[in-house]
Amino acid sequence: MQAHLSNLLVGTASCLLAIPALAADNGAVSGKVIFKGAKPVMRPLTMDATPACAKQHTKPVLSEEVVMAGDGSLANVFVYVKAGLAAKTWPVPAKAATINQIGCVYQPHVVGVMVGQNVEFLNNDPTGHNVHPLPRVNNEWNQSQSPKGDPIVRTFAKPEIGIPVKCNLHPWMRVYVNAVEHPFFAVTGPDGSFSIKGLPAGEYTLSAWHERFGTQDFKVKVPATGAATANFTFK
Ligand SMILES: [Cu+2]
């Protein structure tokens, strides 16, 4: 009886050891964001007031308020898991999210970061800038940066979607920072597509945010392995 019980315990222990492999987070959700309707016409940015900016461009630079392909595929949409994740703390990436200033344009135009992750603003330009986020929830700050100056490194302490960041010197400059408490987010590319990987299986509310077209939610069931699909249409 004694021997039988210890065999049973050994068996139980090896089962427990196997559990982490079974619980690996291999789910994913991917999809595409499109816009249906008359395509908005973007105005060219007027940089004439600052020749150091204007001189860096040979062609007109269009506002990035709407970046859309001919078929309506919508870029620069921030897609993230809004609800459904277990209450746990996800590790913050050691690597900073980088926002460069090139030709007096923020690159990229929409950025996702984790709360507490470093956000590094670089200045590639031969002119000064003044980085100035306008959050509703996080702390507002603004900091000037000399031509080709040292990076400005900051964090966003609270979750917040669509934080506009402007430059006090160049009114056309705009980047939107999105801070969330987990790593399950993406920004749509020029083809309107996105992919969020490494999700635990479960039912989630995904949210898609666009600076002009607003917010849309989508309920999705993510399998333990493989990808669920979530497509968004803005009008
Ligand atoms: Cu500037």
Side-chain angles (χ1 to χ4, degrees), residues 101 104 106 128-130 167-170 173:
Q101 294 161 103
C104 304
Y106 286 115
H129 291 294
N130 187 289
C167 171
N168 287 358
L169 305 175
H170 309 117
M173 291 179 68

Side-chain angles (χ1 to χ4, degrees), residues 78 134-136 160-165 175-179 209:
F78 182 70
L134 300 162
R136 300 168 307 279
E160 184 171 354
I161 301 303
I163 304 167
V165 180
V175 53
Y176 291 89
V177 175
N178 299 273
W209 174 88

Side-chain angles (χ1 to χ4, degrees), residues 6 22 61 73 82 84 87 97 128 177 186-187 217 222-223:
S6 77
L22 290 172
V61 181
S73 301
K82 190 182 198 171
V177 175
V187 178
D217 291 349
V222 172

Side-chain angles (χ1 to χ4, degrees), residues 10-33:
V10 168
T12 308
S14 62
C15 278
L16 285 173
L17 288 174
I19 284 175
L22 290 172
D25 299 332
N26 286 326
V29 57
S30 58
K32 195 169 154 92
V33 182

Side-chain angles (χ1 to χ4, degrees), residues 47 52-61 102-105 107 172:
M47 299 186 185
C53 299
K55 269 198 304 200
Q56 294 186 67
H57 301 280
T58 52
K59 291 187 288 189
V61 181
I102 302 173
C104 304
V105 175
Q107 294 186 18
W172 63 84

Side-chain angles (χ1 to χ4, degrees), residues 77-129:
V77 179
F78 182 70
V79 184
Y80 68 105
V81 175
K82 190 182 198 171
L85 283 166
K88 66 172 267 192
T89 304
W90 308 90
V92 175
K95 195 172 184 294
T98 298
I99 299 169
N100 208 341
Q101 294 161 103
I102 302 173
C104 304
V105 175
Y106 286 115
Q107 294 186 18
H109 181 65
V110 174
V111 177
V113 298
M114 276 187 69
V115 165
Q117 182 181 1
N118 281 340
V119 182
E120 188 178 45
F121 293 85
L122 307 176
N123 184 5
N124 194 60
D125 286 330
T127 188
H129 291 294

